[in-house]
Amino acid sequence: MEFDINNALTYPRRQVHLDFHTQPDLKNVGAHFRKEQFQSALREGNVSSITVFARCYHGLCYYPTDVGLRHPGLSFDLTRAMVDAAHEIGVRAPVYVNAGLGLEEAQQHPEWIARTKSEQISTDSYVSSEPELRWPNMCLNDGSYCAHLYAILEEICARFEQLDGLFLDICFKGKPCYCDECRRGMRALGLDPELDADAAAYYQRKHIDFMKKAGQILHKRHPNATIFFNSGGADIMAPEYHPYETHYEIEDLPTVWGGYDKMPLNATFFGGTGKFYLGMTGKFHLEWGEFGGFKCKEALKYEAATMAVYGAGCSVGDHLLYTGEMDMQTYKNIGYAYRYLERIEPYCYGGISTATIGVWLSESMDDNIGLSMILLESQIDFEVIRDCGFSCFDTVIFPGGAILNEKELESLQAYLQHGGKVLFVGDSLIKDGEFQIDCGLTAPKAVPFGGDYIDAEPLGAEELPQSPFYSYHSAMQVTCTDAECLARVLAPYTAKPYGPLGKRTNLPYDKDAVRGVCAVKKGNVVYLAHKIPLIYKTYGSLFHKRYFLELLFRLKPVLRLRAGVGAQGRCRMIRQEQEHRYCINLTYAAPVRRGEAEIIEDIQPLYQVPVTVHVPEPILAVRLPLQNQSLPFSYAEQECRFTLPVLNCHETVVLEYAATGKGREK
């Protein structure tokens, strides 16, 4: 099994994450485990890596341990048996260790339990939504519990000649710990436990120490092994932890943890890190550990294909039966998806994104997600801007709440001076009561009422209402100096609430009031005074999305790829320079809400899908490699047009050009 920890292309892309959180009172644990049955499941699933377990939520180990607590119902080394069985057939087998939970050990060592500021036990809401059933969190602030955990990691690392990696779970709860040990540690560093900022700084510092030491323990014996810290290790908003991961596993169960549009934004961010990244879904109908819950195989195929479209590997979660038997129906479903994934891998990985829209992430994930939803549903490919890399994009967009520091602002100003285009909204790019860039407006400030009305009639767009429509959130109040007004805002009759108990019901607009400005254009800058992405994410009005897109297109952005696949279609294009080709991947499915879950039941084909591609190289051929079919096309003035006969869940289109092509334009 050749593997290069520094080369993302060598990481296995068809993975399974195998849980085993087994109650301590169960007997004959793993008694029916058979190497041949385990291997048969992996072959059936077309799996290239499986994360197996060494220590579970209960704090119980599944191997002979001199340090931890062995599961009382286990009579053999189950961890070793799984690792050896996987290696024998060429499948990698990283080892799972639960770090942040350990119910049995917490009962023996209450001093290891994390505490809230009021000295109550810090509990985990994931295990149960019922407060009385929640498990205590363990303190991971590099103290006495971590010393015990380090000893377990040392033991695991010493037991294997070849250890492929470690997956440490429940690592970041996001809240400081105030146990006695942490309070003493804060004071020793001159920090005040009563100050929230000091406690948060201590938490971050000590969690980084924990990550460093865990990595050192692993790589001392196994320098090419991977390590990932879950439950926050792949959090866009926690970049301070990213340097200590060898790769990223994006835990986005689409059915109940944010839906099918959550993964693309995360993948776009982590795709810019240079490290391998994969999406995590589950074979379950709902979430982790659901015995007997199944996702239909077509949904798994769609999920695997979507992850590949966004450059991510795929990991499907499973939970081993306490008897040690693999459920073969699970691996038939996984195999259906992974055999398809294997077919499309050559056209999804190892390329350069052709996106011309750059998205700057703000501190508000709701604003970020709303913007991502608008772009995804409009088939506008985008990439997250990293390290002030504005010049890579034709147009950059700032969601609400984005504020630049001095270095970032200097880079943006240089980008604008060289012809770059900017769209920003609401309270973004506003600092100390002033706009950070010149948009022809001054004096931005919030207004008191909760919602107002948008008059988009000046835009002359047929798809927008010709009468004022409600915003749900109020616009920033601005003064126009020398910008072109594209839309106006109308205030309600009064800002005062009315109705029973003062509940606010939106009031009609005051048609006689002076109309303010809520969208302007000055040169290559467009500003929307409403936080439209947040409004769309919260309320889902099509008119807000269309309003945003109408204003974006006033900047005349250059888009490499346009496809008529509707709001539920997704498309992305990469350039594979060595193969002298562009690869377009399109997916289509229509997730629906059923109870608490978002599911995919029917995947209906689309027919005669028009596609337009803007590329500088003259195109020699347009092919469907999965169908072994060529398509008729036209190419003129750097624009290639063709029609995709059918899109059934996923399709790959390859555009070939000569080796002497002109090269990629900005």
Side-chain angles (χ1 to χ4, degrees):
M1 289 176 291
E2 297 183 2
F3 178 75
D4 181 358
I5 194 173
N6 296 312
N7 184 355
L9 293 179
T10 67
Y11 280 66
R13 302 187 184 101
R14 303 184 305 277
Q15 301 195 23
V16 163
H17 184 94
L18 189 63
D19 273 346
F20 198 68
H21 306 297
T22 305
Q23 293 87 336
D25 57 345
L26 289 175
K27 309 298 182 184
N28 300 319
V29 171
H32 292 172
F33 177 86
R34 297 291 182 269
K35 176 183 74 173
E36 294 78 12
Q37 199 263 349
F38 186 81
Q39 293 174 336
S40 178
L42 297 183
R43 290 191 179 102
E44 181 66 36
N46 198 26
V47 174
S48 53
S49 178
I50 181 167
T51 301
V52 300
F53 43 85
R55 182 179 188 270
C56 71
Y57 273 23
H58 298 270
L60 299 175
C61 296
Y62 296 89
Y63 65 92
T65 175
D66 297 323
V67 179
L69 298 176
R70 180 173 175 167
H71 195 291
L74 182 71
S75 61
F76 69 106
D77 189 343
L78 181 53
T79 305
R80 164 73 69 176
M82 292 184 294
V83 170
D84 288 350
H87 284 175
E88 190 174 287
I89 61 172
V91 174
R92 292 183 78 249
V95 170
Y96 173 99
V97 174
N98 195 289
L101 296 176
L103 185 60
E104 298 300 309
E105 291 180 333
Q107 293 171 352
Q108 296 184 14
H109 293 276
E111 72 277 10
W112 291 352
I113 296 174
R115 299 277 173 171
T116 66
K117 193 172 184 179
S118 61
E119 301 185 356
Q120 300 298 308
I121 291 176
S122 173
T123 57
D124 186 275
S125 60
Y126 169 66
V127 176
S128 175
S129 59
E130 302 295 330
E132 65 273 13
L133 298 178
R134 292 178 182 176
W135 291 7
N137 293 318
M138 309 299 275
C139 175
L140 283 176
N141 279 353
D142 193 35
S144 56
Y145 169 69
C146 279
H148 171 70
L149 190 61
Y150 298 148
I152 290 176
L153 297 180
E154 290 272 13
E155 184 178 61
I156 293 170
C157 291
R159 291 183 63 81
F160 293 96
E161 291 183 4
Q162 178 186 332
L163 182 63
D164 295 322
L166 289 174
F167 183 106
L168 280 72
D169 201 8
I170 317 295
C171 293
F172 309 96
K173 290 300 173 184
K175 295 181 180 179
C177 174
Y178 295 88
C179 70
D180 290 343
E181 190 171 43
C182 284
R183 289 178 180 271
R184 289 194 299 270
M186 287 185 229
R187 294 189 184 100
L189 293 175
L191 301 173
D192 184 353
E194 300 306 314
L195 297 177
D196 291 347
D198 281 10
Y202 184 79
Y203 173 95
Q204 183 182 116
R205 174 173 176 173
K206 287 300 181 179
H207 269 61
I208 289 175
D209 288 343
F210 155 66
M211 296 177 76
K212 287 180 178 178
K213 291 179 182 179
Q216 289 166 358
I217 290 169
L218 173 64
H219 293 135
K220 178 175 61 178
R221 293 180 182 270
H222 306 281
N224 289 319
T226 58
I227 189 167
F228 178 69
F229 301 85
N230 196 39
S231 302
D235 184 349
I236 289 176
M237 308 310 291
E240 63 272 16
Y241 301 128
H242 296 169
Y244 312 103
E245 319 270 13
T246 56
H247 66 292
Y248 305 102
E249 305 198 22
I250 307 169
E251 192 177 12
D252 292 341
L253 303 185
T255 47
V256 291
W257 283 11
Y260 279 88
D261 283 342
K262 184 179 178 185
M263 194 282 300
L265 175 62
N266 284 327
T268 302
F269 174 85
F270 287 106
T273 65
K275 294 182 181 181
F276 176 74
Y277 58 106
L278 57 83
M280 296 183 77
T281 184
K283 70 99 175 183
F284 321 107
H285 170 59
L286 294 179
E287 53 184 310
W288 295 108
E290 181 188 56
F291 292 110
F294 291 94
K295 186 176 292 172
C296 73
K297 63 181 184 180
E298 292 294 339
L300 275 179
K301 174 185 173 181
Y302 173 79
E303 291 170 16
T306 300
M307 292 176 194
V309 167
Y310 289 94
C314 184
S315 178
V316 177
D318 184 23
H319 198 299
L320 188 69
L321 296 172
Y322 85 95
T323 59
E325 297 167 281
M326 301 279 267
D327 180 83
M328 292 306 295
Q329 182 60 56
T330 292
Y331 287 86
K332 287 179 181 178
N333 292 350
I334 293 174
Y336 178 79
Y338 277 2
R339 285 181 177 82
Y340 188 79
L341 176 58
E342 187 174 25
R343 290 183 65 201
I344 67 175
E345 284 178 354
Y347 313 105
C348 296
Y349 303 108
I352 301 170
S353 169
T354 62
T356 57
I357 301 294
V359 169
W360 184 271
L361 297 183
S362 79
E363 294 296 318
S364 168
M365 279 307 297
D366 283 341
D367 286 84
N368 297 332
I369 292 170
L371 175 55
S372 172
M373 290 169 60
I374 291 174
L375 298 178
L376 288 170
E377 293 169 12
S378 308
Q379 295 78 51
I380 298 177
D381 199 9
F382 66 92
E383 294 287 331
V384 171
I385 302 168
R386 304 180 64 87
D387 302 323
C388 303
F390 301 110
S391 61
C392 300
F393 302 100
D394 173 83
T395 304
V396 298
I397 305 174
F398 294 86
I403 301 175
L404 304 185
N405 61 33
E406 186 175 338
K407 177 184 176 182
E408 294 163 348
L409 181 58
E410 183 178 334
S411 296
L412 181 62
Q413 296 283 16
Y415 169 75
L416 284 168
Q417 289 174 6
H418 287 86
K421 306 165 189 174
V422 170
L423 183 147
F424 67 114
V425 305
D427 58 353
S428 61
L429 302 188
I430 297 174
K431 186 176 182 181
D432 299 327
E434 299 291 340
F435 285 107
Q436 291 190 290
I437 62 173
D438 182 11
C439 59
L441 301 171
T442 60
K445 65 178 181 179
V447 293
F449 38 84
D452 49 31
Y453 290 82
I454 298 170
D455 175 12
E457 187 177 4
L459 288 170
E462 293 183 0
E463 292 188 339
L464 293 176
Q466 295 305 297
S467 61
F469 56 98
Y470 191 56
S471 69
Y472 300 97
H473 287 263
S474 57
M476 295 292 292
Q477 182 175 311
V478 294
T479 301
C480 187
T481 55
D482 58 345
E484 175 191 0
C485 177
L486 301 177
R488 297 191 176 277
V489 61
L490 289 80
Y493 270 104
T494 176
K496 295 180 180 180
Y498 79 98
L501 303 179
K503 181 179 179 181
R504 183 189 306 278
T505 301
N506 66 292
L507 296 165
Y509 56 86
D510 183 355
K511 63 182 298 184
D512 296 323
V514 176
R515 302 191 178 198
V517 173
C518 67
V520 299
K521 181 177 185 293
K522 181 177 181 181
N524 280 354
V525 175
V526 165
Y527 171 71
L528 288 66
H530 292 91
K531 297 171 72 167
I532 296 296
L534 177 62
I535 294 171
Y536 185 66
K537 196 261 182 189
T538 308
Y539 300 100
S541 168
L542 292 179
F543 295 119
H544 291 94
K545 177 170 68 172
R546 293 171 181 173
Y547 172 68
F548 181 92
L549 293 171
E550 180 68 28
L551 291 164
L552 171 63
F553 288 127
R554 291 301 171 108
L555 288 170
K556 298 181 179 179
V558 174
L559 300 178
R560 294 289 181 204
L561 173 64
R562 301 294 287 164
V565 292
Q568 296 301 121
R570 303 289 178 264
C571 56
R572 193 167 186 261
M573 184 169 71
I574 59 174
R575 182 173 187 248
Q576 294 180 331
E577 296 185 18
Q578 292 186 345
E579 289 80 8
H580 313 299
R581 69 188 185 191
Y582 290 92
C583 295
I584 302 170
N585 284 280
L586 307 97
T587 63
Y588 182 84
V592 295
R593 176 65 57 178
R594 298 281 172 78
E596 63 178 297
E598 186 172 303
I599 71 163
I600 292 175
E601 181 177 7
D602 301 319
I603 298 182
Q604 300 294 334
L606 298 180
Y607 296 97
Q608 300 300 309
V609 177
V611 181
T612 301
V613 180
H614 182 88
V615 290
E617 301 90 347
I619 299 302
L620 304 178
V622 176
R623 296 191 304 106
L624 303 180
L626 304 180
Q627 317 300 334
N628 193 25
Q629 177 183 353
S630 295
L631 296 180
F633 68 96
S634 65
Y635 180 86
E637 297 181 352
Q638 300 190 354
E639 197 168 83
C640 178
R641 293 178 178 267
F642 59 91
T643 298
L644 179 64
V646 60
L647 170 59
N648 191 355
C649 183
H650 168 268
E651 190 58 83
T652 294
V653 185
V654 169
L655 279 64
E656 298 175 349
Y657 58 86
T660 57
K662 301 177 183 178
R664 181 185 177 189
E665 289 185 348
K666 274 183 54 179

